[in-house]
Amino acid sequence: MKVKSTVILIVLSSLFFNNPLSAQTISKEELTYLTSDWQGERFPDGRPKIPDNLLERAKHIMIDDAWSVLKNEGYVNQFEGNWKSVNDMPMTGRAMTAVYLPSRPDLEKHIKDRGAKQGRKGNTNAWPIDILTKGDLYVADAFGKISGGGIMGATLANSIISKSGNGVVFDGAARDLQELRQIKGFNAVVRDFHPSYTEEMVLQGLNTPIRIGRAVVLPGDLVIVQPEGVLFVPAHLAEQVVSTSEFVIRKDKFGFEMVRTGKYSTGEIDSQWPDQIKSDFLKWLEKHPELGKMTRPELDKVMSKRTW
């Protein structure tokens, strides 16, 4: 039994730490395994590569509808609220994750020494930014630290948006609020703002599963940021979540019109639909091509799981 346990530990160590291309990451093989429900394209590091057009579509859905789809599938730990933001601009992107720890001299020395050998420059809070790509949304667990927890200021924010075209979600703090507000197209949701810079904390993990408040985040998740908070959608459910949420928007517009005209009551619209309402909905949808198309089998499928 002891020999078997030793073998297991060696295998796990090789999966998590023997990646010569990056510091404190899990390997491409392990990340692919953890996100194996995703069957689409991947980045070279193993992250699921949700298509750009799906990121764009996700900007126009409602976060409460998306949350309901996840809950129906048993994913109940994907939302976190209670943020402060640079502005109220919604964001969507593919999660690029990082996790920070309070500083400990021996650990920090080893992490920085290894980073230097890998060619990494600057303090560890700059390292995640160096690997951002277009469409990424930088998500960091900074253990909620405020004073001394500003892992981003205006300089790093400019680098972030130039590399990703996106913003950040930090379970921690940011600084330079007035300057951040002047960066066109940039948003950050954080626990708070504080004038201090990064102190007594070190980057420990990069592109690894992390916890943001009560939510679990895997690299490559679809991140949806709206005024209510942040939703982390597993990559393999992104298409289902977005398409179902798009349907709910169509259903609501149809329902509003039917209730106003008196054709159907709110009780009828907010229940499972009989054949007649389904037929009327599809006829109505043909008159509104801007809302997209839908077949009867697609309608039956999405209605079968209705709890919204």
Side-chain angles (χ1 to χ4, degrees), residues 200-217:
E200 297 300 319
M201 58 191 303
V202 63
L203 177 71
Q204 190 276 329
L206 196 54
N207 266 336
T208 184
I210 64 172
R211 178 178 66 87
I212 297 293
R214 293 172 295 277
V216 179
V217 191

Side-chain angles (χ1 to χ4, degrees), residues 74-143:
Y75 288 79
V76 297
N77 299 307
Q78 302 308 126
F79 176 82
E80 179 67 7
N82 300 314
W83 301 97
K84 293 186 178 181
S85 64
V86 170
N87 57 56
D88 291 329
M89 181 184 75
M91 293 188 289
T92 61
R94 308 176 192 92
M96 194 287 294
T97 64
V99 58
Y100 292 83
L101 292 178
S103 182
R104 171 175 155 156
D106 55 346
L107 176 64
E108 185 164 351
K109 178 182 183 300
H110 293 314
I111 288 174
K112 289 183 175 180
D113 285 349
R114 182 167 61 181
K117 293 176 182 177
Q118 295 169 334
R120 299 186 183 276
K121 301 181 185 303
N123 196 17
T124 61
N125 65 321
W127 295 0
I129 299 168
D130 292 336
I131 66 171
L132 287 170
T133 62
K134 290 297 181 184
D136 285 349
L137 206 158
Y138 176 18
V139 183
D141 173 10
F143 55 94

Side-chain angles (χ1 to χ4, degrees), residues 196-255:
S196 59
Y197 50 84
T198 308
E199 292 181 300
E200 297 300 319
M201 58 191 303
V202 63
L203 177 71
Q204 190 276 329
L206 196 54
N207 266 336
T208 184
I210 64 172
R211 178 178 66 87
I212 297 293
R214 293 172 295 277
V216 179
V217 191
L218 264 62
D221 279 357
L222 168 62
V223 186
I224 301 175
V225 179
Q226 292 185 4
E228 296 94 326
V230 185
L231 189 69
F232 303 99
V233 180
H236 70 280
L237 292 175
E239 173 62 42
Q240 178 183 342
V241 166
V242 172
S243 60
T244 303
S245 299
E246 289 172 334
F247 167 72
V248 175
I249 292 174
R250 300 168 191 160
K251 183 272 298 181
D252 286 346
K253 291 181 181 293
F254 168 75

Side-chain angles (χ1 to χ4, degrees), residues 24 81 106 133 138 160 166 180 186 190 201-202 248 265 280 291:
Q24 295 81 242
D106 55 346
T133 62
Y138 176 18
I160 289 167
N166 227 331
L180 295 181
F186 181 78
V190 299
M201 58 191 303
V202 63
V248 175
S265 68
D280 287 343
L291 296 177

Side-chain angles (χ1 to χ4, degrees), residues 237-294:
L237 292 175
E239 173 62 42
Q240 178 183 342
V241 166
V242 172
S243 60
T244 303
S245 299
E246 289 172 334
F247 167 72
V248 175
I249 292 174
R250 300 168 191 160
K251 183 272 298 181
D252 286 346
K253 291 181 181 293
F254 168 75
F256 297 156
E257 186 173 320
M258 295 301 104
V259 169
R260 284 197 301 266
T261 60
K263 185 167 185 176
Y264 295 112
S265 68
T266 55
E268 290 173 308
I269 291 297
D270 289 336
S271 302
Q272 278 289 353
W273 289 352
D275 287 343
Q276 185 59 55
I277 297 183
K278 289 181 178 179
S279 296
D280 287 343
F281 170 76
L282 292 173
K283 291 176 184 177
W284 175 87
L285 194 59
E286 290 176 358
K287 299 177 183 178
H288 297 275
E290 74 279 3
L291 296 177
K293 298 179 180 180
M294 200 169 199

